[in-house]
Every structure is written in structure tokens, then in C-alpha cells.
Amino acid sequence: MIELDWGARTDTGHRRHHNEDTYLATPYLFAVADGMGGHQRGEVASALAVQVLAAATAQGAEGYGRTLILDAVREADRCISNEATNDATRPMGTTLCGLAAVTPLQGLPLLVFNVGDSRVYRLRYGQLTQVSHDHSVVQELIDSGELDPDLAENHPERNVITRSLGSGFPIDIDWWTLDAYAQDRFLLCSDGLVRELTDHQLKTVLAAGLPPQATADLLLHQALESGGRDNVTVVVVDVVGVDPCHHGQGDDTNPRHKALPTSPRFDLPDLPSFPVTTPSETDT
Ligand code: MN
């Protein structure tokens, strides 16, 4: 069993007329969806994603099975695709990333999932690591060595994502099961946050020792101060405690990364650096 504490904020920002982001924050499930589509269709898509996820997990007592969460993401995709098909002249879609507590019977205590370019980060012992991997043209170019990460911000296709909910194509969900330790802190956010703040700025705020809601408030405030050019959504989740029985083997991941080695048990002072291969190390 795992105990979590959290804070969340979303804001339209300074440039957009509507907020197409939606978030979900419940005791054992957190998600951020960033909708796309004209005529407020993005708002419908991101809200649908969150509603389907919330409905599917309404019964969870201490967490959820991984299959239940991933099936809910697929169901959300179907709902949005159906809605989009009803008015083919107005396509819509959404990103969706999330963090869920996994039921104690299923091994490791946390599940991270992602479709699109909203992000999940983890702060552990002062080190910030991006857990999710963007499904975007820019990220694919970086991965293939064709684009210098420093040039990504000004790339003409920086807004183009390669996976989304509602596309009408079968979705491929990235997911990771993770061990958790007291004082681990997770950040879920839409691209409107990371476009405005550097990794160093993110880490400074996340590691400042503020409670999760104050941390979410401050991150949002800084993103707006930096320009607020897109909708901004921030969900901060703290691991308050983890039942010792809930640490476990059987770490597995789909499809982008190999299994993560299981971390040493409990609060060893010198944990290994986060052993995911592809996501950028953002500790600076
Ligand atoms: Mn956005």
C-alpha cells in the first residue's frame, strides 16, 4: 500500500482563449491531458479522456491493476475517436499521461503511462529525471541523431506529436512500473510548463521543500511569468509512505524501454541513478 499527497493547478495562460488541458487528481490516480482541435474540440477531447479514466477507476480501494488502467486509456481513445468521427470536419485528439498506484497484489507500487508529449518527471534525492518519453516529431529527430536537443525549441515541427488519443488508429501506450520510496516526488505536466521553464528551474522549485500544492502554484506562477504562451497544467504528487511489502520484483515496461533494475530496498543513502536508458537526465 502506498500513501500519496498532491497538489494541482491549471491555467489558460496569457495567449490562448481556452484551456484545452484537463487534469485528474484522485487519491490513487493522477493524469494530465492536453487537447487539440479547433472550435473548443480540444477541451472536449481532454475532458473525455479524464472522465473515462475517472469512471473506470471509481472503485479502486488501494490502487488499480495495470490492465485496468491501460484498458481505460484504450477506452478513452475509442470514445474520443467516436466523438471525432461524428463530426469529421472537426477532428480532435488529446495527449494523456498519468501516474497510478498499483494494487498491492501486483508488485511494484506505481505505474506511469503516456501517449503524446505531456510529461511525467520524478525527483528523487535531489535528482530530476524525465520518466516519460515524448511522442513527438522533435523527439524522434533527437533520438535518431538528426536534431540537436538545443535546437528543438525553435524547430518548425515542435508542436507535432506522433501519438495521441482520438486519432482513429490503434494506440500504443508507453508504460513503466516503478518502485517508490518515501519522499519521492512526481511531476505531471502539459507542454505549456516545460516550454516556459528549464529543467533547472523545474528542479529548483520541486526540490525547494514546499508542500505539493504550493509547489504546483509556484511552478504555474513561474510559467506564466515566463510568458504563459500555452495552457499550463501542473500536478505534483509526493510519496508519503510505502508499505515495505509493496516493494517488489517483476519490474516491466512497454514498449520503449527495457525493464528497470529493481532499486535497493528502502531508504539506502546512495541509490543508483535512475536506470532508464533513453529519457534525458535532467539533473544539472
Ligand atoms: Mn499544450
Side-chain angles (χ1 to χ4, degrees):
M1 175 167 187
I2 189 166
E3 183 185 354
L4 304 169
D5 189 16
W6 65 91
R9 285 288 298 277
T10 187
D11 196 280
T12 306
H14 296 317
R15 300 273 182 88
R16 302 291 175 93
H17 295 295
H18 304 282
N19 191 348
E20 299 188 317
D21 290 358
T22 307
Y23 71 82
L24 177 68
T26 64
Y28 297 111
L29 177 64
F30 307 86
V32 168
D34 179 348
M36 299 153 283
H39 306 282
Q40 301 174 44
R41 299 276 277 176
E43 284 154 277
V44 174
S46 66
L48 257 178
V50 164
Q51 283 164 14
V52 171
L53 210 51
T57 54
Q59 304 296 323
E62 297 181 343
Y64 312 101
R66 185 181 69 216
T67 304
L68 183 143
I69 296 287
L70 298 179
D71 283 349
V73 176
R74 293 185 191 100
E75 175 64 17
D77 174 55
R78 274 192 295 276
C79 287
I80 298 164
S81 295
N82 287 342
E83 188 72 27
T85 309
N86 288 339
D87 186 349
T89 61
R90 298 195 299 164
M92 63 177 180
T94 187
T95 72
L96 181 65
C97 72
L99 173 73
V102 178
T103 178
L105 298 174
Q106 287 207 353
L108 294 175
L110 291 176
L111 172 74
V112 168
F113 54 93
N114 179 52
V115 178
D117 70 348
S118 299
R119 289 184 180 173
V120 180
Y121 292 85
R122 181 178 69 184
L123 182 81
R124 173 176 282 179
Y125 295 108
Q127 187 179 39
L128 184 67
T129 308
Q130 185 180 331
V131 178
S132 63
H133 197 75
D134 291 356
H135 302 135
S136 66
V137 167
V138 159
Q139 186 62 55
E140 288 187 3
L141 290 171
I142 291 170
D143 290 347
S144 65
E146 294 171 64
L147 179 66
D148 184 330
D150 293 338
L151 302 176
E153 194 184 336
N154 296 316
H155 193 276
E157 291 192 280
R158 63 187 176 279
N159 292 320
V160 181
I161 61 173
T162 51
R163 295 191 210 173
S164 62
L165 271 60
S167 68
F169 296 101
I171 56 162
D172 192 4
I173 309 164
D174 280 359
W175 52 264
W176 299 259
T177 53
L178 301 175
D179 220 332
Y181 296 89
Q183 298 175 33
D184 281 351
R185 168 169 275 186
F186 287 84
L187 166 69
L188 285 67
C189 62
S190 60
D191 64 340
L193 181 75
V194 297
R195 291 270 169 85
E196 303 296 353
L197 301 183
T198 65
D199 292 340
H200 184 72
Q201 288 173 304
L202 291 180
K203 190 178 79 168
T204 301
V205 176
L206 288 167
L210 295 167
Q213 186 61 55
T215 303
D217 292 344
L218 185 54
L219 285 169
L220 177 75
H221 175 76
Q222 291 196 354
L224 296 178
E225 290 281 293
S226 299
R229 288 165 284 186
D230 191 6
N231 308 145
V232 183
T233 301
V234 185
V235 179
V236 176
V237 184
D238 283 356
V239 178
V240 177
V242 188
D243 188 328
C245 301
H246 207 143
H247 292 281
Q249 306 286 326
D251 208 345
D252 52 2
T253 291
N254 174 68
R256 194 182 288 270
H257 304 296
K258 296 285 185 201
L260 307 178
T262 304
S263 299
R265 297 180 79 86
F266 316 123
D267 300 314
L268 299 179
D270 196 16
L271 286 171
S273 60
F274 191 51
V276 171
T277 48
T278 312
S280 56
E281 276 296 333
T282 51
D283 191 43
T284 52

